[in-house]
């Protein structure tokens, strides 16, 4: 078969390019390429992208990768442009939850964890990530339970809490496997193999 020319799609078919870009942010998040995801979100115009290409669609799912990628990039680089985007997504999700979007409660908890991790509120970050896993599991969003475990585990590694961080990364891999994303699970475990021994 033929390979899609992503650059050509993005340039010549705005709606198809927007859909492709949206899905690429999921891949960047799942594989831990957060800065690439954040840069793509920024190039798309942040949340204006959603309003422009998907008005009234109310997908909601994209808030997880958009928010996680931008918060992670803000933590990695300390750049205000990422922080502004991330805070904007968190605010939007909070507004949607207050208006009754119960399918985004776990996403808000993930983004709360990201926000507290960024601002150095360790206990609040940990509690938010833990709450996100429970909410995602209860709601049937197993992939986002995996994301919450992954981000929590990576945060604990930053805090040098290696044993608990490794446990959470194993949980993330288990959830990805359960969701059917065996490749993501294997890559995550391989990336952190030094934590798990032989």
């Amino acid at each position: 078969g033929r390979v899609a020319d992503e650059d050509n799609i993005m340039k010549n078919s705005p709606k198809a390019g927007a859909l492709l870009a949206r899905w690429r942010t999921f891949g960047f998040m799942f594989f831990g390429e957060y800065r690439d995801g954040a840069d793509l979100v920024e190039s798309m115009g942040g949340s204006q992208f959603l309003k422009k290409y998907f008005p009234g669609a109310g997908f909601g799912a994209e808030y997880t990768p958009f928010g996680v990628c931008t918060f992670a990039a803000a933590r990695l680089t300390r750049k205000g442009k990422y922080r502004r985007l991330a805070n904007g997504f968190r605010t939007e999700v909070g507004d949607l939850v207050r208006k009754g979007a119960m399918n985004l409660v776990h996403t808000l908890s993930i983004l709360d964890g990201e926000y507290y991790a960024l601002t150095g509120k360790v206990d609040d970050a940990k509690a938010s990530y833990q709450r996100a896993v429970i909410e995602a599991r209860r709601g049937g969003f197993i992939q986002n339970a995996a994301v919450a475990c992954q981000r929590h585990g990576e945060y604990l590694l930053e805090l040098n809490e290696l044993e608990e961080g490794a446990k959470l990364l194993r949980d993330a891999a288990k959830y990805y496997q359960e969701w059917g994303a065996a490749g993501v699970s294997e890559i995550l475990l391989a990336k952190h193999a030094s934590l798990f021994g032989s």
Side-chain angles (χ1 to χ4, degrees):
R2 293 175 52 135
V3 175
D5 181 350
E6 290 183 12
D7 292 334
N8 188 41
I9 291 170
M10 301 283 277
K11 180 180 173 187
N12 295 314
S13 179
K15 184 85 174 192
L19 195 56
L20 176 63
R22 179 180 178 267
W23 287 112
R24 286 180 70 197
T25 61
F26 281 90
F28 287 133
M29 177 185 67
F30 291 137
F31 293 107
E33 301 295 334
Y34 305 116
R35 188 157 178 198
D36 289 338
D39 287 339
L40 181 57
V41 169
E42 181 191 27
S43 75
M44 293 183 303
S47 64
Q48 293 306 311
F49 157 84
L50 301 175
K51 294 173 181 115
K52 179 178 180 181
Y53 291 106
F54 306 104
F59 288 166
E62 60 278 324
Y63 283 110
T64 304
F66 285 24
V68 166
C69 286
T70 53
F71 269 116
R75 273 193 8 230
L76 289 167
T77 68
R78 295 300 192 203
K79 290 187 177 179
K81 66 179 183 175
Y82 298 129
R83 186 180 188 135
R84 284 186 294 279
L85 283 168
N87 285 331
F89 291 125
R90 180 172 173 254
T91 298
E92 287 183 38
V93 172
D95 290 345
L96 290 167
V97 168
R98 281 186 284 286
K99 291 176 184 173
M102 302 315 325
N103 61 323
L104 292 177
V105 169
H106 70 281
T107 298
L108 181 58
S109 293
I110 292 171
L111 298 186
D112 283 348
E114 293 292 316
Y115 171 78
Y116 292 128
L118 178 64
T119 57
K121 297 179 181 171
V122 175
D123 291 338
D124 291 332
K126 290 177 178 181
S128 295
Y129 287 129
Q130 290 168 350
R131 188 173 58 252
V133 173
I134 293 166
E135 293 163 347
R137 296 270 309 155
R138 282 186 186 153
F141 298 97
I142 192 72
Q143 74 279 16
N144 287 340
V147 170
C149 282
Q150 181 177 351
R151 292 301 294 151
H152 190 183
E154 290 169 347
Y155 179 55
L156 293 182
L157 296 184
E158 291 173 28
L159 298 175
N160 207 30
E161 296 181 23
L162 304 183
E163 187 174 325
E164 187 61 24
K167 178 192 173 304
L168 286 161
L169 292 170
R170 278 189 197 271
D171 288 348
K174 179 186 77 167
Y175 291 140
Y176 281 129
Q177 188 76 33
E178 187 178 326
W179 184 49
V184 176
S185 177
E186 291 168 11
I187 288 169
L188 181 64
L189 291 173
K191 180 179 180 181
H192 299 286
S194 64
L195 294 172
F196 307 126
S198 53

